[in-house]
């Protein structure tokens, strides 16, 4: 149903899945930017849901089957992973889905390559690239990654690199394309009412979807509804 590829971004191999061989290429493709510790593998179910639309799903540096550099984890370097995959996949224009910290990478890419992005989907994250506290890496590694066996999804080297190289950046610009912002309504959601206002100021074609059974994690009880909203959103565009 999909092929597994690696593309060189400089000296770094970035992994992605591509459903090109079994898709209707008359439809605009979907590119998927996973969250902080997520991998391309964890969105293969979304690839199936959007069929017959082509999907390209990457694992950012330090995650999944992508290589793990000792440094190079700032916003621009993550954006360059998207650039490398898009070029290798030969995509001229596409819909761009993103979740959690992947949102800042996707929004940053869209501002640099406006002609390529036909729409944006934002999964529960504000329009910013967040700095991470110095205490965060060891807490995240020891209390989440290790107990839940997720050190292959994101390596500790990448976690520490993300923290040391992260700087707070408010993402500002005019996104004159359809934008879907999805947020949970329970405790833990990372999108506040003021964040919604920020999106409204930048996105004249904004659609907001809210999920009553979710906090930050939209792929739990609300996953079917969330995925169906994504499909409906892009199908209404083309």
């Amino acid at each position: 149903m999909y092929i597994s590829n690696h593309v060189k971004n400089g000296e770094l191999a970035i992994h992605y899945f591509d459903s090109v061989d079994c898709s209707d290429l008359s439809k605009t493709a979907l590119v998927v930017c996973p969250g902080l510790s997520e991998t391309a593998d964890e969105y293969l179910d979304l690839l199936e849901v959007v069929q017959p639309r082509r999907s390209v799903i990457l694992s950012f540096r330090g995650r999944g089957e992508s290589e793990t550099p000792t440094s190079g984890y700032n916003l621009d370097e993550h954006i360059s992973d998207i650039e490398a995959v898009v070029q290798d996949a030969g995509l001229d224009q596409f819909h761009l889905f993103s979740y959690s910290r992947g949102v800042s990478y996707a929004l940053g890419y869209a501002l640099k390559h406006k002609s390529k992005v036909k729409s944006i989907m934002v999964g529960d994250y504000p329009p910013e690239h967040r700095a991470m506290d110095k205490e965060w890496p060891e807490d995240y590694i020891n209390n989440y990654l290790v107990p839940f066996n997720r050190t292959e999804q994101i390596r500790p080297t990448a976690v520490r690199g993300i923290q040391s190289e992260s700087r707070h950046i408010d993402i500002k610009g005019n996104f004159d394309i359809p934008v879907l912002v999805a947020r949970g309504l329970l405790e833990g959601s990372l999108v506040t009412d003021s964040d919604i206002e920020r999106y409204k100021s930048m996105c004249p074609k904004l659609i907001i979807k809210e999920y009553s059974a979710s906090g930050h994690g939209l792929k739990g009880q609300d996953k079917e509804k969330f995925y169906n909203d994504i499909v409906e959103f892009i199908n209404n565009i083309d």
Side-chain angles (χ1 to χ4, degrees):
M1 186 172 183
Y2 53 83
I3 55 176
S4 177
N5 286 328
H6 285 84
V7 58
K8 280 290 188 178
N9 182 9
E11 297 300 314
L12 198 65
I14 300 298
H15 176 249
Y16 70 96
F17 290 117
D18 190 346
S19 68
V20 62
D21 288 346
C22 58
S23 299
D24 179 356
L25 300 185
S26 69
K27 295 177 177 291
T28 304
L30 173 68
V31 173
V32 176
C33 296
L36 173 66
S37 69
E38 294 180 321
T39 66
D41 305 64
E42 293 176 271
Y43 283 90
L44 291 177
D45 56 352
L46 179 57
L47 181 153
E48 294 177 3
V49 170
V50 302
Q51 276 288 315
R53 186 184 300 275
R54 181 185 181 187
S55 297
V56 173
I57 310 169
L58 74 146
S59 290
F60 287 102
R61 57 189 57 213
R63 286 85 147 180
E65 296 181 44
S66 292
E67 291 184 337
T68 306
T70 56
S71 62
Y73 292 96
N74 65 27
L75 176 58
D76 286 340
E77 284 154 336
H78 281 91
I79 291 171
S80 75
D81 291 344
I82 305 173
E83 292 171 332
V85 168
V86 166
Q87 181 175 355
D88 194 61
L91 297 174
D92 294 324
Q93 193 174 51
F94 52 89
H95 302 286
L96 185 57
F97 169 85
S98 56
Y99 176 72
S100 192
R101 195 171 179 86
V103 168
S104 64
Y105 310 151
L107 293 178
Y109 176 91
L111 285 175
K112 289 182 66 177
H113 303 278
K114 289 187 176 183
S115 65
K116 285 187 172 292
V117 181
K118 196 167 187 177
S119 76
I120 302 173
M121 287 140 279
V122 169
D124 204 76
Y125 207 75
E128 62 191 36
H129 183 65
R130 290 185 168 179
M132 309 302 281
D133 294 336
K134 291 182 178 180
E135 297 77 18
W136 171 73
E138 301 313 311
D139 177 69
Y140 191 71
I141 293 165
N142 295 321
N143 296 318
Y144 177 60
L145 297 185
V146 172
F148 290 94
N149 297 312
R150 290 189 61 84
T151 53
E152 289 305 310
Q153 279 74 19
I154 183 170
R155 264 71 74 187
T157 296
V159 173
R160 296 184 179 105
I162 288 168
Q163 186 281 319
S164 66
E165 298 182 44
S166 66
R167 302 292 184 271
H168 183 89
I169 301 170
D170 286 322
I171 296 177
K172 300 176 181 178
N174 178 35
F175 295 92
D176 191 22
I177 55 176
V179 176
L180 170 67
V181 172
R183 69 165 174 170
L185 294 177
L186 298 181
E187 183 179 356
S189 172
L190 299 184
V191 177
T192 65
D193 289 344
S194 62
D195 294 326
I196 293 293
E197 294 304 313
R198 290 163 67 191
Y199 277 115
K200 287 180 179 178
S201 70
M202 295 189 295
C203 309
K205 302 174 184 176
L206 181 68
I207 294 174
I208 301 166
K209 295 289 184 178
E210 298 178 325
Y211 302 90
S212 60
S214 300
H216 180 56
L218 300 179
K219 295 191 296 176
Q221 189 172 337
D222 282 318
K223 182 170 79 168
E224 183 177 358
K225 184 176 185 295
F226 178 40
Y227 279 10
N228 287 339
D229 285 339
I230 292 167
V231 172
E232 180 181 14
F233 175 71
I234 54 180
N235 283 349
N236 285 337
I237 298 169
D238 67 3

